[in-house]
Amino acid sequence: MTPDNSFAFLGPVGTYTHEAVLSFAKQMGIENPELVECASFDEVFDCVDRGRTAYGVVAKENSIEGPVTATLDNFAFRSGAVILGEKVVDIHHCLVTQPGVSLDSITTVASHPQGLAQCRRFLNEQLPGRATLATTSTAQSVLVALEDPTVAGIANSFAAQFHGGEVVATDIEDHFGNQTVFALIGRPGSAPTLSGSSMKTSLALFMQQDRAGTLHMILSEFAYAGINLTMIQSRPTKQQLGDYMFFIEFGDSVNNIHVQTALNCLRLKLREVKVLGSYPVN
């Protein structure tokens, strides 16, 4: 039997995803969540699909890097999991070292490649000429720093506190508006667990065939129903070159009549209309 308090997430502990898991659990009234660390997004979805965990948490979109394609591809092609809610996490990078280490002794800066890329200005100005070391996650960079006083890691303050590192510089990212949207996923039919001031619906739309005017037809159905789209993203179907499908999001519930009418019209014209979730947001 699947524990009701279990969450799968992309490990290791101390990452932004781990932080999002704890935030979801708190909002759901779960005091001691059972955490299952996964090595990939595929594994997170598999844990949910196979009933190993009740929930999963995956990164969905970043304000700088854009949609997370591994998550989108799982929703479209591999998994039957649905979105139950989402949470926006502010990405604030810190420089983390062993306690008591001075910046002058730092010869190497470690982090996930995205962490290093998002802090280029700070590294060039404050730690010029230092070598860089790519790690599997920002949290892993803290563990590397704790083992070597000549290494500093780039991670969040949560990872530093969780693993016992010392934050020697805060908010070192180049772009202060950096945010990531994390999705809470579960099996179809999962009871709603979150509340929000409004609803959002996510869809995956598959065309019958690639022909002129298909995207216009899709957009027209939403326009006729008075539905305001907040995201549209094309992805290859992996069937053949030039064959694409669309991810669509809008701020409305799939249970509303005008939304059902639009989706039923699309089902008559498209190969598949897959509802990825209709969930509350703040």
Side-chain angles (χ1 to χ4, degrees):
M1 184 175 180
T2 305
D4 291 338
N5 67 336
S6 55
F7 293 79
F9 71 103
L10 183 65
V13 294
T15 60
Y16 289 100
T17 309
H18 181 199
E19 186 177 0
V21 170
L22 297 182
S23 182
F24 275 122
K26 181 179 180 180
Q27 189 175 355
M28 295 161 66
I30 298 175
E31 295 184 358
N32 297 301
E34 179 180 318
L35 304 180
V36 176
E37 294 181 41
C38 299
S40 66
F41 287 111
D42 289 356
E43 187 178 346
V44 175
F45 278 90
D46 287 343
C47 282
V48 174
D49 287 332
R50 297 176 182 179
R52 184 183 177 191
T53 61
Y55 307 105
V57 174
V58 292
K60 183 163 163 277
E61 184 177 2
N62 178 263
S63 59
I64 296 175
E65 305 295 336
V68 179
T69 55
T71 296
L72 297 184
D73 285 350
N74 268 283
F75 279 128
F77 310 117
R78 294 187 70 253
S79 176
V82 295
I83 302 173
L84 304 176
E86 69 176 30
K87 186 171 295 293
V88 178
V89 174
D90 293 329
I91 306 300
H92 293 300
H93 294 310
C94 302
L95 193 71
V96 183
T97 65
Q98 283 188 16
V101 170
S102 68
L103 285 182
D104 293 337
S105 64
I106 299 301
T107 61
T108 303
V109 179
S111 191
H112 186 276
Q114 286 189 1
L116 294 170
Q118 292 171 5
C119 300
R120 289 194 185 99
R121 184 181 301 113
F122 174 86
L123 296 179
N124 290 336
E125 294 177 355
Q126 302 299 324
L127 295 169
R130 268 61 164 194
T132 57
L133 174 66
T135 57
T136 56
S137 68
T138 54
Q140 182 65 29
S141 74
V142 175
L143 298 178
V144 173
L146 291 177
E147 294 177 354
D148 188 340
T150 67
V151 177
I154 293 176
N156 56 354
S157 58
F158 174 74
Q161 180 180 6
F162 189 87
H163 292 297
E166 180 177 344
V167 175
V168 295
T170 61
D171 299 335
I172 65 173
E173 63 274 7
D174 294 344
H175 302 281
F176 295 115
N178 192 358
Q179 296 179 310
T180 295
V181 179
F182 289 93
L184 177 72
I185 62 174
R187 290 182 295 282
S190 300
T193 55
L194 302 171
S195 60
S197 57
S198 60
M199 295 291 292
K200 178 186 284 189
T201 297
S202 299
L203 307 171
L205 306 180
F206 297 85
M207 299 180 291
Q208 294 280 10
Q209 57 183 344
D210 184 22
R211 62 182 183 183
T214 299
L215 179 57
H216 179 268
M217 177 272 294
I218 292 172
L219 298 179
S220 295
E221 292 294 348
F222 290 112
Y224 294 152
I227 299 171
N228 181 38
L229 302 184
T230 57
M231 189 270 279
I232 180 167
Q233 173 80 23
S234 64
R235 287 289 292 156
T237 63
K238 307 182 188 300
Q239 299 298 316
Q240 62 182 13
L241 187 65
D243 191 15
Y244 287 84
M245 48 80 61
F246 297 99
F247 289 97
I248 299 284
E249 287 188 347
F250 54 85
D252 212 330
S253 171
V254 74
N255 294 322
N256 290 334
I257 295 299
H258 65 288
V259 174
Q260 293 181 12
T261 299
L263 297 187
N264 287 335
C265 290
L266 288 173
R267 289 186 177 101
L268 296 174
K269 302 174 182 179
L270 300 177
R271 176 161 54 89
E272 183 181 2
V273 175
K274 185 176 182 181
V275 179
L276 305 180
S278 193
Y279 45 94
V281 294
N282 290 314

Coordinates of all heavy atoms in Angstrom, one line a residue, residues 97-149:
T97 N 30.9 27.5 2.0 CA 32.2 26.9 2.3 C 32.1 26.1 3.6 O 31.1 26.1 4.3 CB 33.2 28.0 2.4 OG1 32.9 28.8 3.6 CG2 33.3 28.9 1.2
Q98 N 33.2 25.5 3.9 CA 33.4 25.0 5.3 C 33.3 26.1 6.3 O 33.7 27.2 6.0 CB 34.7 24.3 5.4 CG 34.9 22.9 4.8 CD 36.2 22.2 5.2 OE1 36.9 22.7 6.2 NE2 36.6 21.2 4.5
P99 N 32.8 25.9 7.5 CA 32.7 27.0 8.5 C 34.2 27.5 8.8 O 35.1 26.7 8.9 CB 32.1 26.3 9.7 CG 31.3 25.2 9.1 CD 32.0 24.7 7.9
G100 N 34.3 28.8 8.8 CA 35.6 29.4 9.1 C 36.5 29.6 8.0 O 37.6 30.2 8.2
V101 N 36.2 29.2 6.8 CA 37.1 29.4 5.6 C 37.0 30.8 5.0 O 35.9 31.3 4.9 CB 36.8 28.3 4.6 CG1 37.6 28.6 3.3 CG2 37.1 26.9 5.1
S102 N 38.1 31.4 4.7 CA 38.1 32.7 4.1 C 38.1 32.6 2.6 O 38.6 31.5 2.0 CB 39.4 33.5 4.5 OG 40.5 32.9 4.0
L103 N 37.6 33.6 1.9 CA 37.6 33.6 0.4 C 38.9 33.5 -0.2 O 39.1 32.9 -1.3 CB 36.8 34.8 -0.1 CG 35.3 34.8 0.0 CD1 34.7 36.1 -0.6 CD2 34.7 33.6 -0.6
D104 N 40.0 34.0 0.5 CA 41.3 34.0 -0.1 C 41.8 32.6 -0.3 O 42.7 32.4 -1.1 CB 42.3 34.8 0.8 CG 41.9 36.3 0.9 OD1 41.3 36.7 -0.1 OD2 42.3 36.9 1.8
S105 N 41.3 31.6 0.5 CA 41.8 30.3 0.4 C 41.1 29.4 -0.7 O 41.4 28.3 -0.9 CB 41.7 29.6 1.7 OG 40.4 29.4 2.1
I106 N 40.1 30.0 -1.3 CA 39.3 29.3 -2.3 C 40.0 29.3 -3.6 O 40.3 30.3 -4.2 CB 37.9 29.9 -2.4 CG1 37.1 29.9 -1.1 CG2 37.1 29.2 -3.6 CD1 36.9 28.5 -0.6
T107 N 40.2 28.1 -4.1 CA 40.9 27.9 -5.5 C 39.9 27.4 -6.5 O 40.1 27.5 -7.7 CB 42.1 27.0 -5.4 OG1 41.6 25.7 -4.9 CG2 43.1 27.5 -4.4
T108 N 38.8 26.8 -6.0 CA 37.8 26.1 -7.0 C 36.4 26.4 -6.5 O 36.1 26.4 -5.3 CB 38.0 24.6 -7.0 OG1 39.4 24.3 -7.4 CG2 37.1 23.9 -8.0
V109 N 35.5 26.7 -7.5 CA 34.1 26.9 -7.2 C 33.3 25.8 -7.9 O 33.5 25.5 -9.1 CB 33.6 28.2 -7.7 CG1 32.1 28.4 -7.4 CG2 34.4 29.4 -7.1
A110 N 32.5 25.1 -7.1 CA 31.8 23.9 -7.6 C 30.3 24.2 -7.6 O 29.8 24.9 -6.7 CB 32.1 22.7 -6.7
S111 N 29.6 23.6 -8.6 CA 28.1 23.7 -8.6 C 27.6 22.9 -9.8 O 28.4 22.5 -10.7 CB 27.6 25.1 -8.6 OG 26.2 25.2 -8.4
H112 N 26.3 22.8 -9.8 CA 25.7 22.3 -11.1 C 26.0 23.3 -12.2 O 26.1 24.5 -11.9 CB 24.1 22.2 -10.8 CG 23.4 21.6 -12.0 ND1 23.0 22.3 -13.1 CD2 23.0 20.3 -12.2 CE1 22.4 21.5 -13.9 NE2 22.3 20.3 -13.4
P113 N 26.1 22.8 -13.4 CA 26.5 23.8 -14.5 C 25.6 25.0 -14.6 O 26.0 26.1 -14.9 CB 26.4 22.9 -15.8 CG 26.7 21.5 -15.3 CD 26.1 21.4 -13.9
Q114 N 24.3 24.8 -14.3 CA 23.4 26.0 -14.4 C 23.7 26.9 -13.3 O 23.6 28.1 -13.4 CB 21.9 25.5 -14.3 CG 21.4 24.8 -15.6 CD 19.9 24.6 -15.5 OE1 19.2 24.9 -14.6 NE2 19.4 24.0 -16.6
G115 N 24.0 26.4 -12.1 CA 24.4 27.3 -11.0 C 25.6 28.1 -11.3 O 25.7 29.3 -11.0
L116 N 26.6 27.5 -11.9 CA 27.8 28.2 -12.3 C 27.5 29.3 -13.4 O 28.0 30.4 -13.3 CB 28.9 27.2 -12.9 CG 29.5 26.2 -11.9 CD1 30.3 25.2 -12.6 CD2 30.3 27.0 -10.8
A117 N 26.7 28.9 -14.4 CA 26.3 29.8 -15.4 C 25.5 31.0 -15.0 O 25.6 32.1 -15.5 CB 25.5 29.0 -16.5
Q118 N 24.7 30.8 -13.9 CA 23.8 31.9 -13.4 C 24.5 32.8 -12.5 O 23.9 33.7 -12.0 CB 22.6 31.2 -12.8 CG 21.7 30.5 -13.8 CD 20.6 29.7 -13.1 OE1 20.4 29.8 -11.9 NE2 19.8 29.0 -13.9
C119 N 25.8 32.5 -12.2 CA 26.5 33.4 -11.2 C 27.9 33.9 -11.8 O 28.8 34.2 -11.1 CB 26.8 32.6 -9.9 SG 25.4 32.0 -9.1
R120 N 27.9 34.0 -13.1 CA 29.1 34.4 -13.8 C 29.7 35.8 -13.4 O 30.9 36.0 -13.2 CB 28.9 34.4 -15.3 CG 28.8 33.1 -16.0 CD 28.9 33.2 -17.5 NE 28.6 31.9 -18.1 CZ 27.5 31.6 -18.7 NH1 26.5 32.4 -18.7 NH2 27.3 30.4 -19.3
R121 N 28.8 36.7 -13.2 CA 29.2 38.1 -12.8 C 29.9 38.1 -11.5 O 31.0 38.7 -11.3 CB 28.0 39.0 -12.8 CG 28.4 40.5 -12.5 CD 27.2 41.4 -12.5 NE 26.5 41.4 -13.7 CZ 25.2 41.0 -13.9 NH1 24.6 40.5 -12.8 NH2 24.6 41.0 -15.0
F122 N 29.3 37.4 -10.5 CA 29.9 37.3 -9.2 C 31.2 36.6 -9.2 O 32.2 37.1 -8.6 CB 29.0 36.6 -8.2 CG 29.5 36.3 -6.8 CD1 29.4 37.3 -5.8 CD2 30.2 35.2 -6.6 CE1 30.0 37.1 -4.6 CE2 30.8 34.9 -5.3 CZ 30.7 35.9 -4.3
L123 N 31.3 35.5 -9.9 CA 32.6 34.8 -10.0 C 33.7 35.6 -10.7 O 34.8 35.6 -10.2 CB 32.4 33.5 -10.8 CG 31.5 32.5 -10.1 CD1 31.3 31.2 -11.0 CD2 31.9 32.1 -8.7
N124 N 33.3 36.4 -11.7 CA 34.3 37.2 -12.4 C 34.8 38.4 -11.6 O 36.0 38.8 -11.6 CB 33.7 37.7 -13.7 CG 33.5 36.6 -14.8 OD1 34.2 35.6 -14.7 ND2 32.6 36.9 -15.7
E125 N 33.9 38.9 -10.7 CA 34.2 40.1 -9.9 C 34.9 39.7 -8.6 O 35.8 40.4 -8.2 CB 33.0 40.9 -9.7 CG 32.4 41.6 -11.0 CD 31.2 42.4 -10.7 OE1 30.7 42.3 -9.6 OE2 30.6 43.0 -11.7
Q126 N 34.4 38.7 -8.0 CA 34.8 38.4 -6.6 C 35.8 37.2 -6.5 O 36.6 37.2 -5.6 CB 33.6 38.0 -5.7 CG 32.5 39.1 -5.7 CD 33.1 40.4 -5.1 OE1 33.9 40.4 -4.1 NE2 32.6 41.5 -5.6
L127 N 35.8 36.3 -7.5 CA 36.7 35.2 -7.5 C 37.3 34.9 -8.9 O 37.2 33.9 -9.4 CB 35.9 33.9 -7.0 CG 35.4 33.9 -5.6 CD1 34.4 32.7 -5.3 CD2 36.6 33.8 -4.6
P128 N 37.9 36.0 -9.4 CA 38.5 35.8 -10.8 C 39.6 34.8 -10.8 O 40.4 34.7 -9.9 CB 39.0 37.2 -11.1 CG 39.3 37.8 -9.7 CD 38.2 37.3 -8.8
G129 N 39.6 34.1 -11.9 CA 40.7 33.1 -12.1 C 40.5 31.8 -11.4 O 41.3 30.9 -11.6
R130 N 39.5 31.6 -10.6 CA 39.3 30.4 -9.9 C 38.8 29.3 -10.9 O 38.0 29.6 -11.8 CB 38.3 30.5 -8.8 CG 38.9 30.8 -7.4 CD 39.6 32.1 -7.4 NE 39.8 32.5 -6.0 CZ 40.2 33.8 -5.6 NH1 40.4 34.7 -6.6 NH2 40.4 34.1 -4.4
A131 N 39.2 28.1 -10.6 CA 38.8 26.9 -11.4 C 37.3 26.6 -11.1 O 36.8 27.0 -10.0 CB 39.6 25.7 -11.2
T132 N 36.6 26.0 -12.0 CA 35.2 25.6 -11.7 C 35.1 24.1 -11.8 O 35.8 23.5 -12.6 CB 34.2 26.3 -12.7 OG1 34.6 25.9 -14.0 CG2 34.2 27.8 -12.5
L133 N 34.2 23.5 -11.0 CA 34.0 22.1 -11.0 C 32.5 21.8 -11.1 O 31.7 22.3 -10.3 CB 34.5 21.5 -9.7 CG 34.2 20.0 -9.4 CD1 35.0 19.2 -10.4 CD2 34.7 19.7 -8.0
A134 N 32.1 21.1 -12.1 CA 30.6 20.7 -12.3 C 30.2 19.6 -11.4 O 30.9 18.6 -11.3 CB 30.4 20.4 -13.7
T135 N 29.1 19.8 -10.7 CA 28.6 18.7 -9.8 C 27.2 18.3 -10.3 O 26.6 19.0 -11.2 CB 28.5 19.2 -8.4 OG1 27.7 20.4 -8.3 CG2 29.9 19.5 -7.8
T136 N 26.6 17.2 -9.8 CA 25.4 16.7 -10.3 C 24.2 17.6 -9.8 O 23.1 17.5 -10.4 CB 25.1 15.3 -9.8 OG1 25.2 15.2 -8.4 CG2 26.2 14.4 -10.4
S137 N 24.4 18.4 -8.8 CA 23.4 19.3 -8.2 C 24.0 20.4 -7.4 O 25.2 20.3 -7.1 CB 22.4 18.5 -7.3 OG 23.0 18.1 -6.2
T138 N 23.2 21.4 -7.1 CA 23.8 22.5 -6.3 C 24.0 22.0 -4.9 O 25.0 22.3 -4.2 CB 22.8 23.7 -6.2 OG1 21.5 23.2 -5.8 CG2 22.7 24.3 -7.6
A139 N 23.2 21.1 -4.4 CA 23.3 20.5 -3.0 C 24.6 19.7 -3.0 O 25.3 19.7 -2.0 CB 22.2 19.7 -2.7
Q140 N 25.0 19.0 -4.0 CA 26.2 18.2 -4.1 C 27.4 19.1 -3.9 O 28.4 18.7 -3.3 CB 26.2 17.4 -5.4 CG 27.5 16.5 -5.5 CD 27.5 15.3 -4.4 OE1 26.4 14.9 -4.0 NE2 28.7 14.9 -4.0
S141 N 27.3 20.3 -4.5 CA 28.5 21.2 -4.4 C 28.8 21.5 -2.9 O 29.9 21.8 -2.5 CB 28.2 22.4 -5.2 OG 27.3 23.3 -4.6
V142 N 27.8 21.6 -2.1 CA 28.0 21.9 -0.6 C 28.8 20.7 0.0 O 29.7 21.0 0.8 CB 26.6 22.1 0.1 CG1 26.9 22.3 1.6 CG2 25.9 23.3 -0.5
L143 N 28.4 19.5 -0.3 CA 29.1 18.3 0.2 C 30.6 18.3 -0.2 O 31.4 18.0 0.6 CB 28.4 17.1 -0.2 CG 27.0 16.9 0.3 CD1 26.4 15.6 -0.3 CD2 26.9 16.9 1.8
V144 N 30.8 18.7 -1.5 CA 32.2 18.8 -2.0 C 33.0 19.9 -1.2 O 34.1 19.6 -0.8 CB 32.2 19.1 -3.5 CG1 33.6 19.3 -4.0 CG2 31.6 18.0 -4.3
A145 N 32.3 21.0 -1.0 CA 33.0 22.1 -0.2 C 33.3 21.7 1.2 O 34.3 22.0 1.8 CB 32.1 23.3 -0.3
L146 N 32.4 20.9 1.8 CA 32.6 20.5 3.2 C 33.8 19.5 3.3 O 34.3 19.3 4.4 CB 31.3 19.9 3.8 CG 30.2 20.9 4.0 CD1 28.9 20.1 4.5 CD2 30.6 21.9 5.0
E147 N 34.1 18.9 2.2 CA 35.2 17.9 2.2 C 36.6 18.6 1.9 O 37.6 18.0 2.2 CB 35.0 16.8 1.2 CG 33.8 15.9 1.6 CD 33.5 14.8 0.5 OE1 34.2 14.9 -0.5 OE2 32.7 14.0 0.8
D148 N 36.6 19.8 1.4 CA 37.8 20.4 0.9 C 37.7 21.9 1.2 O 36.9 22.6 0.6 CB 38.0 20.2 -0.6 CG 39.3 20.7 -1.1 OD1 40.0 21.5 -0.4 OD2 39.7 20.2 -2.2
P149 N 38.6 22.4 2.1 CA 38.5 23.9 2.4 C 38.9 24.8 1.3 O 38.7 26.0 1.4 CB 39.5 24.0 3.6 CG 40.4 22.8 3.4 CD 39.6 21.7 2.8

